[in-house]
Amino acid sequence: QWYQRRVQAVVSTQSTGRKRIFRPSLSMLLLFLFTCLSNVVAGVDLTLTVVTSTLEHGGTDENIFVQLIGTAGRSDEMELDSDKTWFSSSKLGKGETTAFTLENVDLPELGMLRCVRFRATSGNTWTPQMAVLSNLPAGSSLYLYNADVVGLSTDPEDQSGKGALEWMTMCNQGDTTVTVAMETADREWGGSEDIAPSVIIMGQLGRMGPGLFYSPEADGVFERGSVQEVQYKGMKYIGRITGVRLTVHGEDAWKPVRVTIETVDDRAEFEIDDTTWFSTDPDHGKSTIYLPRF
């Protein structure tokens, strides 16, 4: 039997050159085994903070289910606490932020956490903007973004017409911080109260998607001739910035003139010419534009 075998640790001593044999007792082995098992079975309470988008279909009054995905496995599906007062009686509201407690999560079984998977339960489309998973070991947090600004819905028409999915997996992209600043034109129709731009940043080593550009201080309002700055944590390192893709959501016309992106070791400015306007209405402007770095 394994517990009947001698466990011998040979320790050299410089003073005498003699060898000493250490034989741990059975009680010491049992204590070590108990400690290991305790660490494996003990669950941890995590905090999941969800931010809904400011888009038309940002919130929902339906049930919300999530699943944690790690390097070693997946958790059981968990329903978020429906007693949270976000929107009308109990659920997520448009442009709202709140925290849920995920109880007794078995972290050793999941390995290093990477993603959170959301599941739609109705045809009522809603759009999470980002999520933060906190209370992880060593006080770390996991930042997750809806990079492609996709909504959640079980309705096939919503899935095709509005870009919604029944399942959505939001994953941590990395451990760097990126700052994005947008400047609007100081002219008529330069700003907007009904527009939501999203950002995809390209680099020599790949791309990263922080998703919606939203400043809580400005509450989604772009004043003409102003600069807004948003900082994104948990981004992927992509080396030298090579370009940026801007996509707008909302039919209102909007005129940005400059986008500035700053990473840990690079800073890039992108100028937007005077003739380029943004809107999902083709009569008012373009819905998507790619700006290369020269």
Side-chain angles (χ1 to χ4, degrees):
Q1 306 292 337
W2 67 270
Y3 55 84
Q4 292 176 331
R5 296 175 183 169
R6 281 183 169 179
V7 179
Q8 297 184 340
V10 180
V11 181
S12 299
T13 59
Q14 296 180 351
S15 59
T16 63
R18 300 173 61 184
K19 295 182 179 179
R20 183 174 44 147
I21 305 299
F22 172 70
R23 297 183 178 87
S25 65
L26 180 59
S27 60
M28 294 175 63
L29 290 174
L30 291 176
L31 178 61
F32 174 77
L33 181 61
F34 175 78
T35 303
C36 292
L37 290 176
S38 297
N39 290 335
V40 171
V41 300
V44 178
D45 290 348
L46 303 180
T47 300
L48 179 65
T49 302
V50 181
V51 182
T52 57
S53 78
T54 54
L55 303 178
E56 179 182 357
H57 300 280
T60 182
D61 56 3
E62 303 295 335
N63 295 333
I64 302 162
F65 291 87
V66 298
Q67 183 183 46
L68 304 181
I69 302 175
T71 54
R74 303 185 178 199
S75 71
D76 293 332
E77 196 174 59
M78 295 170 279
E79 182 177 7
L80 298 185
D81 182 7
S82 61
D83 293 332
K84 295 286 184 182
T85 305
W86 281 18
F87 178 60
S88 61
S89 61
S90 63
K91 294 295 190 302
L92 291 152
K94 172 184 175 182
E96 297 287 344
T97 300
T98 204
F100 295 96
T101 299
L102 306 181
E103 298 180 350
N104 201 31
V105 177
D106 190 347
L107 290 180
E109 183 178 276
L110 300 179
M112 186 175 294
L113 291 178
R114 293 297 189 191
C115 309
V116 174
R117 193 180 196 195
F118 292 87
R119 179 170 68 87
T121 58
S122 75
N124 197 5
T125 303
W126 71 284
T127 310
Q129 175 177 321
M130 70 169 292
V132 181
L133 195 60
S134 54
N135 292 344
L136 295 171
S140 60
S141 298
L142 204 64
Y143 294 86
L144 317 162
Y145 298 92
N146 183 0
D148 295 318
V149 195
V150 179
L152 280 161
S153 174
T154 58
D155 188 336
E157 293 186 3
D158 282 349
Q159 291 180 27
S160 59
K162 300 169 186 174
L165 303 170
E166 183 174 355
W167 288 92
M168 177 193 297
T169 303
M170 295 167 59
C171 295
N172 176 254
Q173 300 179 45
D175 57 4
T176 65
T177 299
V178 176
T179 301
V180 180
M182 291 193 186
E183 181 179 349
T184 56
D186 189 11
R187 57 191 289 187
E188 187 178 9
W189 309 111
S192 174
E193 296 182 2
D194 189 26
I195 205 80
S198 62
V199 182
I200 298 291
I201 304 168
M202 284 70 171
Q204 290 179 324
L205 302 178
R207 73 172 200 166
M208 55 181 165
L212 285 175
F213 180 89
Y214 174 74
S215 169
E217 293 78 13
D219 196 25
V221 176
F222 289 89
E223 299 287 349
R224 54 181 287 184
S226 65
V227 179
Q228 289 188 28
E229 186 176 280
V230 178
Q231 189 176 80
Y232 300 92
K233 298 180 179 180
M235 290 282 95
K236 175 183 177 182
Y237 178 72
I238 59 173
R240 183 181 183 274
I241 300 168
T242 59
V244 60
R245 188 184 76 196
L246 297 182
T247 301
V248 295
H249 311 269
E251 296 184 359
D252 196 15
W254 176 58
K255 181 70 181 78
V257 294
R258 183 178 294 104
V259 178
T260 304
I261 302 170
E262 188 169 355
T263 65
V264 64
D265 58 2
D266 195 15
R267 187 178 187 275
E269 286 191 3
F270 299 90
E271 304 286 340
I272 301 173
D273 64 70
D274 290 339
T275 62
T276 301
W277 290 75
F278 285 88
S279 174
T280 54
D281 185 340
D283 293 333
H284 292 162
K286 297 180 178 181
S287 60
T288 300
I289 186 173
Y290 175 73
L291 302 170
R293 184 180 188 179
F294 297 106

